[in-house]
Amino acid sequence: MEKTINRDIILLSRKSEEATANDIEIACDLMDTLKANTDRCVGMAANMIGVSKRIIAVNNDGEYLLMMNPEILKRSGKYETEEGCLSLDGVRPTVRYKEIKVRWQTLEMQPKIKTFKGFTAQIIQHELDHLEGIVI
């Protein structure tokens, strides 16, 4: 079910808790909300719909990807950029990496590891900042 976008800086600044198999409905709501906002958004973290759980949804070049408890294992190719956010107004400078290796769990809580590059890597890093309570 599509949810309202959270713009509360206090909630967005909280570090998210680990997701469990009981959080599948939250993950599905997050994906529905991303798809409903696909014209203006390429990724979302659960706190963007008001839930402090370690779940992100990403538009990976037209293929949607849902990650439970994602973490970066390796990064390379540091660069500076500017990013906007659906939960905030304007754009802000930030540091990202061109390539990241990520471990996460699927909706079925199965572990996955994959290396992402370019814009998809940037999206994932932005959403992982949300999970850490970092407001970009």
Side-chain angles (χ1 to χ4, degrees):
M1 167 184 274
E2 180 184 356
K3 299 292 183 178
T4 303
I5 303 300
N6 173 37
R7 296 179 60 84
D8 181 345
I9 296 296
I10 294 170
L11 180 60
L12 292 169
S13 298
R14 285 189 202 144
K15 190 170 180 176
S16 297
E17 299 174 11
E18 185 172 332
T20 69
N22 295 327
D23 296 319
I24 290 173
E25 185 176 341
I26 296 165
C28 292
D29 288 347
L30 183 63
M31 184 62 75
D32 289 345
T33 306
L34 174 60
K35 287 179 178 179
N37 288 279
T38 194
D39 61 326
R40 60 190 186 126
C41 184
V42 291
M44 297 187 82
N47 64 359
M48 293 176 67
I49 60 168
V51 182
S52 293
K53 289 288 187 165
R54 295 190 64 79
I55 307 169
I56 67 171
V58 175
N59 183 343
N60 182 20
D61 291 327
E63 180 181 328
Y64 289 94
L65 179 61
L66 191 62
M67 296 178 162
M68 309 279 278
N69 302 311
E71 62 179 315
I72 296 176
L73 302 175
K74 185 178 176 184
R75 58 189 93 208
S76 63
K78 186 177 181 177
Y79 67 99
E80 294 182 13
T81 189
E82 290 186 339
E83 295 175 351
C85 181
L86 198 55
S87 290
L88 306 166
D89 294 326
V91 295
R92 283 158 267 332
T94 190
V95 173
R96 296 289 180 228
Y97 294 85
K98 293 178 184 177
E99 183 174 304
I100 57 172
K101 185 175 187 179
V102 181
R103 175 175 45 213
W104 75 96
Q105 294 167 305
T106 65
L107 257 181
E108 297 78 25
M109 304 310 285
Q110 297 300 310
K112 301 277 267 189
I113 295 177
K114 183 175 179 178
T115 298
F116 295 92
K117 298 177 182 180
F119 189 52
T120 300
Q122 183 177 345
I123 297 166
I124 292 169
Q125 291 170 82
H126 179 99
E127 303 316 328
L128 287 175
D129 278 353
H130 274 294
L131 299 182
E132 295 301 320
I134 300 168
V135 179
I136 297 295

